[in-house]
Amino acid sequence: MLRHQALAPLLKSTNKCSTKQYVYDSAQTAMYIQLMKWMACNAFTGTQLQLAHFQDTGRGLKTTVDVKSGDTLLYIPSRLLITTSTVLRSQLGPFIQKHSPPMTSQQALAIFLLYEATKGVHSMWFPYIAIIPPSYTTPAFFNQEELQLLPQNLLTLATMQIKKVRTAFKELESCFVEIKKLRPEMDVSYERFRWAWFTVNTRCVYGKQEKLCFAEEDNCVLAPFLDLLNHSPTAEIQAGYDASQEGYVITTDTPYKKWEQAFICYGPHSNQTLLLEYGFIVCNNQHSSLQFHIDDIIQCIDCRVMRRYNELQDRKLEIIRENNFQDNLCCGWDGLSWRLITALQIMCMDQVEINDWKRVYTTDSISPHCDNQVICLATRLLSREMQENQCVLQSIQDKMALQITPTDHVSLIQGLRLERQHLLQIALKQLSS
């Protein structure tokens, strides 16, 4: 997942509304100073941003001057960018080029990180690798008990993602055998590969490059220091590689006062996506929503009605699937999506109304009886989800009560579930008004 942020705070929180700052310990400060010295020796011309610790976001960057809209927020010279070209120029180049089937750029960058991390202080990239977190808070790092606390659709996505990473690891087994001849001490376990994979996944930025030898579009770039910028859904930026400046440039359209935290935006992502891909959530995320499946609606219909009108129900489901009404069945801060309402309307139509089902495109009301049935079915759908969500929240609270310090994973799931509960409460209130 391409984006512009690194989240590896020493002090983590699911609440991203505060701006209180914390002081780094001496070890973190030393690594940061080493990073800046190293960058200065590699064409980095300086910045108006400074590392800081924030209660809400953990590690981030604050401005040292007032920043106006249109100002350059950060410039990273090409010499400091880790691209697939960087990898191919390294000792790993021959192994990667001859690998069959061709690697993805993400696989190549992950192997490069593992290889350079093994070198320790002898790596040119050591000052950068030293500040990369040792682990992440994405669901791929959750244990089975924690995974089962996730909403079903997110659990499905997380399971698919974990399978994808394991497949990517297995595809590289022969390559690891060859590379270990160069570095016998290199740890090529799944756990280490997972770390490298998610380092790329959570920290890379988009930078289109010329087509080389990779299995898919080559657009992953790691940019030291830039990936310390945190995400805000309200931040407005322009970002990309500038050939005239020979570097990656971020221009902000959002002004900042001196000492304020500067942000970038990864895109209009819900908290489910942010947790899945980056390992955090934000409060008051206007892009968050709940996703439903057509089966969720069916389960809320009285089984006696389903049996009595089995043929009619089959026709309704056929209409829904043929017209893709089963996609984007969601509930956001502004209520039920058009597709969810439409699916509910079709499922509530009688034998006469279903013959003129295309009215859903031109009118909000089908008939007084159908409209009432839609409200009743939607209420059952949301109430059922709320009851299930509340049970999981109670389970989380019970687990947290037994721990002196709750795990970051459980705290994140709790924050996601609380947001879910709030969305459901708002939607139910709108239905009853």
Side-chain angles (χ1 to χ4, degrees):
M1 188 77 171
L2 300 177
R3 52 57 126 186
H4 309 283
Q5 186 255 10
L7 186 70
L10 298 178
L11 297 167
K12 297 179 182 177
S13 171
T14 58
N15 175 11
K16 297 212 165 195
C17 302
S18 166
T19 56
K20 185 176 180 180
Q21 299 177 28
Y22 284 82
V23 178
Y24 270 99
D25 61 34
S26 57
Q28 289 286 320
T29 301
M31 284 193 291
Y32 172 68
I33 292 172
Q34 184 182 31
L35 173 70
M36 300 311 293
K37 287 181 177 179
W38 168 73
M39 292 180 68
C41 292
N42 286 278
F44 185 63
T45 55
T47 177
Q48 297 172 337
L49 300 174
Q50 186 179 92
L51 189 68
H53 235 127
F54 299 88
Q55 181 184 31
D56 45 359
T57 62
R59 186 167 63 179
L61 296 177
K62 65 182 179 181
T63 61
T64 58
V65 297
D66 289 344
V67 176
K68 303 186 299 295
S69 175
D71 284 355
T72 296
L73 195 61
L74 189 61
Y75 162 76
I76 305 295
S78 58
R79 190 186 303 182
L80 288 171
L81 300 176
I82 301 178
T83 67
T84 48
S85 295
T86 310
V87 179
L88 293 177
R89 289 194 302 267
S90 73
Q91 290 178 295
L92 301 179
F95 302 106
I96 290 171
Q97 287 180 311
K98 72 178 183 180
H99 189 268
S100 181
M103 293 183 193
T104 65
S105 56
Q106 187 162 355
Q107 285 175 311
L109 288 177
I111 292 176
F112 181 77
L113 284 175
L114 287 175
Y115 187 75
E116 292 299 318
T118 304
K119 292 181 181 179
V121 295
H122 302 293
S123 169
M124 182 267 192
W125 302 98
F126 173 75
Y128 171 54
I129 294 174
I131 68 164
I132 294 176
S135 184
Y136 294 95
T137 51
T138 57
F141 289 80
F142 290 10
N143 60 39
Q144 282 300 315
E145 186 178 6
E146 292 165 342
L147 283 171
Q148 293 307 312
L149 296 174
L150 293 172
Q152 184 57 51
N153 61 326
L154 180 54
L155 174 59
T156 300
L157 293 173
T159 302
M160 291 170 58
Q161 186 186 61
I162 292 168
K163 183 178 179 180
K164 178 181 178 181
V165 178
R166 287 194 175 276
T167 299
F169 171 69
K170 190 169 183 61
E171 289 173 349
L172 298 175
E173 285 180 342
S174 61
C175 186
F176 286 141
V177 171
E178 295 298 315
I179 293 174
K180 278 183 74 68
K181 294 176 182 178
L182 288 179
R183 288 274 168 183
E185 71 276 24
M186 182 174 165
D187 184 351
V188 293
S189 64
Y190 169 72
E191 288 71 25
R192 282 296 287 168
F193 177 77
R194 179 180 60 177
W195 165 81
W197 174 275
F198 278 95
T199 293
V200 178
N201 199 69
T202 61
R203 305 171 84 90
C204 71
V205 295
Y206 182 90
K208 190 171 178 60
Q209 303 163 68
E210 68 174 284
K211 180 70 175 177
L212 295 171
C213 59
F214 298 97
E216 57 188 32
E217 187 178 9
D218 182 9
N219 50 26
C220 290
V221 177
L222 289 171
F225 192 77
L226 181 155
D227 56 13
L228 295 173
L229 283 163
N230 285 320
H231 163 80
S232 169
T234 60
E236 297 181 8
I237 63 163
Q238 307 294 325
Y241 185 81
D242 188 328
S244 65
Q245 298 188 59
E246 296 185 340
Y248 200 92
V249 180
I250 295 180
T251 302
T252 180
D253 295 326
T254 303
Y256 297 100
K257 295 292 185 182
K258 183 177 180 179
W259 307 128
E260 280 186 335
Q261 181 172 190
F263 291 97
I264 53 178
C265 180
Y266 311 162
H269 298 314
S270 69
N271 273 337
Q272 285 206 162
T273 299
L274 291 175
L275 180 59
L276 178 70
E277 301 292 348
Y278 310 119
F280 69 92
I281 64 176
V282 296
C283 71
N284 302 321
N285 187 347
Q286 67 264 41
H287 303 299
S288 287
S289 63
L290 279 71
Q291 298 292 326
F292 293 98
H293 191 275
I294 188 64
D295 289 342
D296 297 324
I297 298 176
I298 294 172
Q299 291 171 11
C300 292
I301 298 175
D302 191 322
C303 61
R304 292 170 297 179
V305 174
M306 291 292 288
R307 285 197 301 268
R308 189 182 310 162
Y309 302 106
N310 189 52
E311 187 176 330
L312 178 60
Q313 298 302 331
D314 288 344
R315 185 184 175 193
K316 292 176 180 179
L317 291 174
E318 184 180 356
I319 291 171
I320 288 172
R321 291 183 176 120
E322 285 183 350
N323 293 276
N324 296 319
F325 292 143
Q326 79 277 14
D327 298 330
N328 196 30
L329 302 177
C330 64
C331 167
W333 299 111
D334 55 352
L336 309 187
S337 69
W338 179 83
R339 286 180 183 269
L340 178 52
I341 293 174
T342 300
L344 291 167
Q345 286 176 325
I346 291 174
M347 292 304 295
C348 291
M349 288 180 183
D350 62 27
Q351 290 174 306
V352 175
E353 292 164 342
I354 199 65
N355 293 323
D356 191 24
W357 69 265
K358 290 186 179 181
R359 290 177 58 202
V360 298
Y361 290 115
T362 59
T363 181
D364 293 331
S365 177
I366 303 301
S367 70
H369 179 263
C370 182
D371 296 346
N372 184 61
Q373 291 295 103
V374 167
I375 293 174
C376 291
L377 182 55
T379 300
R380 284 198 296 272
L381 176 69
L382 298 176
S383 298
R384 182 172 175 269
E385 184 65 30
M386 178 175 282
Q387 184 177 7
E388 179 185 329
N389 194 65
Q390 185 56 52
C391 288
V392 178
L393 276 171
Q394 185 60 54
S395 175
I396 290 173
Q397 289 178 340
D398 293 343
K399 293 178 187 300
M400 295 176 77
L402 298 174
Q403 297 175 333
I404 297 175
T405 304
T407 67
D408 293 327
H409 300 168
V410 174
S411 295
L412 284 165
I413 298 169
Q414 183 187 42
L416 194 67
R417 288 283 186 176
L418 286 170
E419 176 190 66
R420 196 176 186 86
Q421 201 76 350
H422 192 197
L423 279 165
L424 289 165
Q425 289 169 348
I426 290 175
L428 281 168
K429 185 176 180 179
Q430 290 176 340
L431 283 176
S432 63
S433 61

